[in-house]
Amino acid sequence: MASAAPPAFLQACLRRPAPFTPIWLMRQAGRYMPEYRAVRARLGFLELCKNPEAAADVTLQPVERLGVDAAILFADILLVLEPLGIGLTFTRGDGPRIDRPIRDPRAVRALPEIDVEDALGFVFETVRRARKALGDRVPLIGFAGAPFTLASYLIEGGPSREFLVTKAFMREEPAAWVALMTRLAEITGEYLNGQIAAGAQAVQLFDSWVGTLSPADYRDYVQPHTSRAIRALQPGVPVIHFGVGTGGLLPLMKAAGGDVIGLDWRVELGPTWQRLGHDVAVQGNLDPAALLSGTEAIRRAAREILDGAAGRPGHVFNLGHGIHKETPVEHVKALVDIVHELSAR
Ligand code: CP3
């Protein structure tokens, strides 16, 4: 295909009469926002995720404050792991922790069956409330972690740089790895379908840490499972497939599935999109650190990315990864305005 129409959801984002590049941001609701910090002063992170009224309010904060073209469900990719009984906590400053990580095949076999509706109904309720509050202003994007990234937390027990325990498990216990990834793919599919049934108009699959793998390992240990999760999804709902440091994996990620491929800032958008093929949409790819500089630098960086996309339909402007908590909120607002201004045509 030479050039494809953008997925329907991109069209749905066009709130303004003139076409322009839609923009939404990763972790757009978060600690850089005073109104988010005010909510977090009252509620712990998990408490907030499990409070549909507050989580729906937080989902809308960036839409109101920044004018982004989509709302992103306020939740976390690790919420699906909690019902597996592994002891999930978020500690201030240190990020997520899993008290009982999975380190052997027995632990995989011992994972309980879960009823996603029962265990994660609070997320679906947040989706329903957020959709109602948004009306037809902007679409709502749901999300989940992809099997590899979820498995890496389960096995490492928390964030990791090298993923050595995960990689050893994957190679040394291939049957248990397949069993674990299959479970996670099934849960992810069900969980995203639950969000879609509740009103999410697009979904994003975060395989944040998959860039740690070689292409051969991605193909052998990950691709079939991610693909299984994506194939399980309600047809017709756009899927965004994202990872960090995935320059060497992008064609394989595209083959695994998704209507939009997320790019981080380590690749150049124009040539990378060309290489992937313009029959797939792309999302990205400003370095989130660029938002710590002033508006002139932000404008230059945004222009470079928009030039790379060359006005083709099917580019969603985004950051290459989540917003840093030190980011001044006015800079984020400036970026949204700049992208709208530069891409209006
Ligand atoms: O984009 C949005 O507005 C939706 C909110 C969102 C959160 N987590 C809320 C959150 C999304 C999309 C996520 C996804 C997520 N969670 C990912 C994939 C995206 C990525 O960044 O790669 C990952 C890997 C996680 C796991 C996770 N959750 C980590 C590693 C951390 C700690 C990191 C940190 O910045 O401290 C979290 C906590 C978390 N999830 C916060 C937020 C707003 C900060 C927690 C707080 O409020 O104290």
Coordinates of all heavy atoms in Angstrom, one line a residue, residues 25-31 36 40 45 48-49 58 62 72-78 90-96 143 145 149 153 159 206-209 242 244 321-323 325, ligand 1:
L25 N -0.4 12.8 25.1 CA 0.9 12.5 25.7 C 0.9 11.4 26.6 O -0.1 11.0 27.2 CB 1.4 13.8 26.4 CG 1.3 15.1 25.6 CD1 1.4 16.3 26.4 CD2 2.4 15.1 24.5
M26 N 2.0 10.7 26.7 CA 2.1 9.6 27.6 C 2.3 10.1 29.0 O 3.1 11.0 29.3 CB 3.4 8.8 27.2 CG 3.2 7.4 27.3 SD 4.6 6.6 26.5 CE 4.2 7.0 24.8
R27 N 1.5 9.5 29.9 CA 1.4 9.9 31.3 C 1.0 11.4 31.4 O 1.6 12.1 32.1 CB 2.8 9.7 32.0 CG 3.3 8.3 32.0 CD 2.9 7.6 33.3 NE 3.6 6.3 33.4 CZ 4.7 6.1 34.1 NH1 5.2 7.1 34.8 NH2 5.2 4.9 34.2
Q28 N 0.0 11.7 30.5 CA -0.4 13.1 30.5 C -1.0 13.6 31.8 O -1.0 14.8 32.1 CB -1.2 13.4 29.3 CG -2.5 12.7 29.2 CD -3.2 13.0 27.8 OE1 -2.6 13.4 26.9 NE2 -4.6 12.8 27.8
A29 N -1.6 12.6 32.5 CA -2.1 13.0 33.9 C -1.0 12.5 34.8 O -0.7 11.3 34.9 CB -3.4 12.3 34.2
G30 N -0.4 13.3 35.6 CA 0.7 12.9 36.5 C 1.2 14.0 37.3 O 0.6 15.1 37.4
R31 N 2.3 13.7 38.0 CA 2.8 14.5 39.1 C 3.3 15.9 38.6 O 3.4 16.8 39.5 CB 3.9 13.8 39.8 CG 3.3 12.7 40.7 CD 4.4 11.8 41.2 NE 5.0 11.1 40.0 CZ 5.9 10.2 40.0 NH1 6.4 9.8 41.2 NH2 6.4 9.6 38.9
Y36 N -3.2 17.3 39.7 CA -3.0 15.8 40.0 C -2.4 15.7 41.4 O -2.8 14.8 42.2 CB -2.1 15.2 39.0 CG -1.7 13.7 39.3 CD1 -2.7 12.7 39.0 CD2 -0.5 13.4 39.9 CE1 -2.4 11.4 39.3 CE2 -0.2 12.1 40.2 CZ -1.1 11.1 39.9 OH -0.8 9.8 40.2
R40 N -3.5 13.5 44.7 CA -2.6 12.6 45.4 C -2.3 12.9 46.8 O -1.8 12.0 47.6 CB -1.3 12.4 44.5 CG -1.5 11.6 43.3 CD -1.5 10.1 43.5 NE -0.1 9.6 43.7 CZ 0.4 9.3 44.9 NH1 -0.3 9.4 46.0 NH2 1.7 8.9 44.9
F45 N -1.6 6.1 45.5 CA -1.7 5.9 44.0 C -2.7 4.8 43.7 O -3.6 4.9 42.9 CB -0.3 5.6 43.5 CG -0.4 5.3 42.0 CD1 -0.7 6.3 41.1 CD2 -0.1 4.0 41.5 CE1 -0.8 6.0 39.7 CE2 -0.2 3.7 40.1 CZ -0.5 4.7 39.3
L48 N -6.2 5.8 44.5 CA -6.7 6.7 43.4 C -7.2 5.8 42.2 O -8.3 6.0 41.7 CB -5.6 7.7 43.0 CG -5.8 8.5 41.7 CD1 -7.2 9.2 41.7 CD2 -4.7 9.5 41.5
C49 N -6.3 4.9 41.8 CA -6.7 4.0 40.7 C -8.0 3.3 40.9 O -8.8 3.0 40.0 CB -5.6 3.0 40.4 SG -4.1 3.7 39.7
V58 N -9.3 12.7 37.2 CA -7.9 12.9 36.8 C -7.7 12.6 35.3 O -6.9 13.3 34.7 CB -7.0 11.9 37.7 CG1 -5.6 11.9 37.1 CG2 -7.0 12.4 39.1
P62 N -5.9 16.6 32.0 CA -5.1 17.1 30.9 C -5.9 17.6 29.7 O -5.5 18.5 29.0 CB -4.3 15.9 30.5 CG -4.5 14.8 31.5 CD -5.8 15.2 32.2
I72 N -6.7 10.0 28.2 CA -6.1 8.7 28.4 C -6.6 8.2 29.8 O -6.4 8.9 30.8 CB -4.6 8.7 28.3 CG1 -4.1 9.2 27.0 CG2 -4.0 7.3 28.6 CD1 -2.7 9.4 26.8
L73 N -7.2 7.1 29.8 CA -7.7 6.5 31.0 C -6.7 6.6 32.1 O -5.5 6.3 31.9 CB -8.0 5.0 30.7 CG -8.2 4.1 31.9 CD1 -9.5 4.5 32.6 CD2 -8.2 2.6 31.5
F74 N -7.1 7.1 33.3 CA -6.1 7.1 34.4 C -6.2 5.7 35.1 O -7.2 5.3 35.7 CB -6.4 8.2 35.4 CG -5.3 8.2 36.4 CD1 -4.1 8.8 36.1 CD2 -5.4 7.6 37.6 CE1 -3.0 8.8 36.9 CE2 -4.3 7.5 38.5 CZ -3.1 8.1 38.1
A75 N -5.1 5.0 35.0 CA -5.0 3.6 35.6 C -3.5 3.3 35.6 O -2.6 4.2 35.5 CB -5.7 2.6 34.8
D76 N -3.1 2.1 35.7 CA -1.7 1.7 35.5 C -1.6 0.3 34.9 O -2.5 -0.5 35.1 CB -1.0 1.7 36.9 CG 0.5 1.7 36.7 OD1 1.1 2.8 36.5 OD2 1.1 0.6 36.7
I77 N -0.5 0.1 34.2 CA -0.4 -1.3 33.5 C -0.3 -2.4 34.6 O -0.5 -3.5 34.2 CB 0.8 -1.3 32.5 CG1 2.1 -1.1 33.2 CG2 0.6 -0.3 31.4 CD1 3.3 -1.6 32.4
L78 N 0.1 -2.1 35.8 CA 0.4 -3.1 36.7 C -0.9 -3.6 37.5 O -0.9 -4.5 38.3 CB 1.5 -2.7 37.7 CG 2.8 -2.4 37.0 CD1 3.9 -2.0 38.0 CD2 3.3 -3.6 36.2
F90 N 3.0 0.5 45.5 CA 3.7 1.6 44.9 C 4.3 2.4 46.0 O 3.5 2.9 46.9 CB 2.8 2.5 44.1 CG 2.4 1.9 42.7 CD1 1.3 1.0 42.6 CD2 3.1 2.2 41.6 CE1 1.0 0.4 41.4 CE2 2.8 1.6 40.4 CZ 1.7 0.8 40.3
T91 N 5.6 2.5 46.1 CA 6.2 3.2 47.2 C 6.7 4.6 46.7 O 7.1 4.7 45.5 CB 7.4 2.5 47.8 OG1 8.3 2.1 46.7 CG2 7.0 1.2 48.5
R92 N 6.5 5.6 47.5 CA 6.8 7.0 47.0 C 8.3 7.0 46.6 O 9.1 6.6 47.4 CB 6.5 7.9 48.2 CG 5.9 9.2 47.7 CD 5.5 10.0 48.9 NE 4.0 10.1 49.1 CZ 3.2 10.8 48.3 NH1 3.7 11.5 47.3 NH2 1.9 10.9 48.6
G93 N 8.5 7.5 45.4 CA 9.9 7.6 45.0 C 10.5 6.4 44.3 O 11.3 6.5 43.4
D94 N 10.2 5.2 44.8 CA 10.8 4.0 44.3 C 10.0 3.3 43.2 O 10.5 2.4 42.5 CB 11.0 2.9 45.4 CG 12.0 3.4 46.4 OD1 12.8 4.3 46.1 OD2 12.0 3.0 47.6
G95 N 8.8 3.7 43.0 CA 8.0 3.1 41.9 C 7.4 1.8 42.4 O 7.3 1.5 43.6
P96 N 6.9 1.0 41.5 CA 6.2 -0.3 41.8 C 7.1 -1.3 42.4 O 8.3 -1.4 42.1 CB 5.6 -0.7 40.5 CG 6.5 -0.1 39.4 CD 7.1 1.2 40.0
F143 N -5.9 1.4 28.0 CA -4.5 0.9 27.8 C -4.3 -0.3 28.7 O -5.0 -0.5 29.7 CB -3.4 1.9 28.0 CG -3.3 2.4 29.4 CD1 -2.4 1.7 30.3 CD2 -4.0 3.4 29.9 CE1 -2.2 2.1 31.6 CE2 -3.8 3.8 31.2 CZ -2.9 3.2 32.1
G145 N -0.7 -3.2 29.8 CA 0.7 -3.6 29.5 C 0.7 -4.8 28.6 O -0.2 -5.6 28.6
T149 N 6.3 -6.9 29.0 CA 6.5 -5.9 30.1 C 5.9 -6.3 31.4 O 6.5 -6.1 32.5 CB 6.0 -4.5 29.5 OG1 6.9 -4.1 28.5 CG2 6.1 -3.4 30.6
Y153 N 8.0 -7.3 35.1 CA 7.7 -6.9 36.5 C 7.5 -8.1 37.4 O 8.0 -8.1 38.5 CB 6.5 -5.9 36.5 CG 6.9 -4.5 36.1 CD1 6.5 -4.0 34.9 CD2 7.5 -3.7 37.0 CE1 6.9 -2.7 34.5 CE2 7.9 -2.4 36.6 CZ 7.5 -1.9 35.4 OH 7.9 -0.6 35.0
P159 N 11.1 -2.5 38.9 CA 11.8 -1.9 37.8 C 13.2 -2.5 37.7 O 13.8 -3.0 38.6 CB 11.9 -0.4 38.1 CG 11.0 -0.1 39.2 CD 10.8 -1.4 39.9
F206 N 1.2 -1.1 26.0 CA 2.5 -0.6 26.4 C 3.4 -1.8 26.5 O 3.3 -2.6 27.5 CB 2.5 0.1 27.7 CG 1.9 1.5 27.6 CD1 0.6 1.7 28.1 CD2 2.7 2.5 27.1 CE1 0.1 3.0 28.0 CE2 2.2 3.8 27.1 CZ 0.9 4.1 27.5
D207 N 4.4 -2.0 25.6 CA 5.4 -3.0 25.8 C 6.7 -2.2 26.1 O 7.7 -2.3 25.4 CB 5.6 -3.9 24.6 CG 6.0 -5.3 25.1 OD1 6.4 -5.4 26.3 OD2 6.0 -6.2 24.3
S208 N 6.6 -1.4 27.2 CA 7.6 -0.4 27.5 C 9.0 -0.9 27.5 O 9.9 -0.3 27.0 CB 7.3 0.3 28.8 OG 6.1 0.9 28.8
W209 N 9.3 -2.1 28.0 CA 10.7 -2.6 28.2 C 11.1 -3.6 27.2 O 12.2 -4.2 27.4 CB 10.8 -3.1 29.6 CG 10.3 -2.1 30.7 CD1 9.5 -2.5 31.7 CD2 10.5 -0.7 30.7 NE1 9.2 -1.3 32.5 CE2 9.7 -0.2 31.9 CE3 11.1 0.3 29.9 CZ2 9.7 1.1 32.2 CZ3 11.0 1.6 30.3 CH2 10.3 2.0 31.4
F242 N 3.2 0.3 21.5 CA 4.3 1.2 21.9 C 5.4 0.4 22.7 O 5.1 -0.4 23.6 CB 3.8 2.4 22.7 CG 4.9 3.1 23.4 CD1 5.6 4.1 22.7 CD2 5.2 2.9 24.7 CE1 6.6 4.8 23.3 CE2 6.2 3.6 25.3 CZ 6.9 4.6 24.6
V244 N 9.8 1.2 24.2 CA 10.9 2.2 24.3 C 12.2 1.5 23.8 O 12.4 0.3 24.1 CB 11.1 2.6 25.8 CG1 12.3 3.6 26.0 CG2 9.8 3.2 26.4
H321 N 8.3 9.0 25.4 CA 8.0 8.2 26.6 C 7.3 9.2 27.6 O 6.9 10.3 27.1 CB 9.3 7.6 27.2 CG 9.1 6.4 28.1 ND1 10.1 5.9 28.9 CD2 7.9 5.7 28.4 CE1 9.6 4.9 29.5 NE2 8.3 4.7 29.3
G322 N 7.1 8.8 28.8 CA 6.3 9.6 29.7 C 6.9 10.9 30.1 O 8.1 11.1 30.1
I323 N 6.0 11.8 30.5 CA 6.4 13.2 30.9 C 7.2 13.0 32.3 O 6.7 12.4 33.2 CB 5.2 14.1 31.2 CG1 4.4 14.2 29.9 CG2 5.6 15.4 31.7 CD1 3.2 15.1 30.0
K325 N 8.3 14.2 35.9 CA 7.5 14.9 36.9 C 8.0 16.3 37.2 O 7.3 17.2 37.7 CB 7.4 14.1 38.2 CG 8.7 13.9 39.0 CD 8.4 13.1 40.2 CE 9.6 12.9 41.1 NZ 10.8 12.2 40.5
Ligands
CP3_1 O1 -0.9 8.6 30.4 C1 -1.8 8.8 31.3 O2 -2.2 9.9 31.7 C2 -2.4 7.6 32.0 C3 -1.7 7.2 33.2 C4 -0.7 6.1 33.2 C5 0.0 5.7 34.4 N1 0.7 4.6 34.2 C6 -0.2 6.4 35.7 C7 0.9 6.4 36.7 C8 -0.2 5.2 32.2 C9 -0.5 5.2 30.8 C10 0.7 4.3 32.9 C11 1.4 3.2 32.2 C12 2.5 2.6 32.8 N2 2.7 2.3 34.1 C13 3.6 2.1 32.1 C14 3.7 2.1 30.6 C15 4.2 3.5 30.1 C16 5.6 3.8 30.4 O3 5.8 4.8 31.1 O4 6.4 3.1 30.0 C17 4.5 1.5 33.0 C18 5.9 0.9 32.7 C19 3.9 1.6 34.3 C20 4.5 1.1 35.6 C21 4.7 2.2 36.5 N3 3.7 2.9 37.2 C22 5.9 2.8 37.0 C23 7.3 2.3 36.5 C24 5.6 3.8 37.9 C25 6.6 4.6 38.7 C26 7.3 5.6 37.8 C27 7.3 6.9 38.3 O5 7.3 7.9 37.5 O6 7.3 7.1 39.6 C28 4.2 3.9 38.0 C29 3.5 4.9 38.8 C30 2.6 5.8 38.0 N4 1.7 5.4 37.1 C31 2.4 7.2 38.2 C32 1.4 7.6 37.4 C33 0.8 9.0 37.2 C34 3.2 8.0 39.2 C35 2.7 7.6 40.6 C36 2.3 8.6 41.5 O7 1.3 9.4 41.3 O8 2.9 8.7 42.6

